[in-house]
Amino acid sequence: MISIFTKDTPEAIKLIQIALENEKFFDIYKNAVKIKPSFQMLGLPSELSDKLSEVLNLANAMKDTAKIKELINSIEKELASVYIEFEKELYELKN
C-alpha cells in the first residue's frame, strides 16, 4: 500500500496541476478523488485530508482555480516529507 501511495500520488498531483492549468475541473476532481482514500487509510494528518476535501469541493463547484492551486502546492510540499518517511519505513521492512 505504501509503495503504491508513493508511486501513484505524485503522478495524480501532477495530473491535477496539468488539469488546473487548463481549467479542467472534472480532471482535477477525478484525480483528487482517486488519492483521497489513501490519505485516510495511511493515517496522514487530517489537515492534508481537509485540504484535499476543499480541492474536491472547489473542483466540483468549478471555481477558484487560484485557491485550488494554493491548496495543491501546500499538499505537495507536505507530502514530500511523508514520502521520505514512507521510503524509510519500506527500507527498514525490507532489511
Side-chain angles (χ1 to χ4, degrees), residues 12-80:
I13 296 288
K14 184 67 177 168
L15 291 172
I16 291 169
Q17 291 169 329
I18 292 168
L20 190 54
E21 290 173 14
N22 298 304
E23 294 190 13
K24 293 188 173 188
F25 291 100
F26 177 76
D27 291 342
I28 295 167
Y29 185 88
K30 177 179 71 174
N31 285 291
V33 83
K34 188 187 309 183
I35 60 175
K36 185 156 174 52
S38 59
F39 277 43
Q40 295 164 335
M41 284 192 298
L42 293 171
L44 299 182
S46 61
E47 297 83 24
L48 279 171
S49 187
D50 292 346
K51 288 178 184 178
L52 193 57
S53 291
E54 190 171 352
V55 168
L56 287 165
N57 290 336
L58 291 169
N60 193 43
M62 293 194 229
K63 64 179 184 179
D64 209 348
T65 55
K67 183 65 176 176
I68 295 173
K69 184 175 184 174
E70 177 187 319
L71 290 163
I72 290 299
N73 288 340
S74 175
I75 291 168
E76 186 176 38
K77 283 181 185 177
E78 292 177 52
L79 284 176

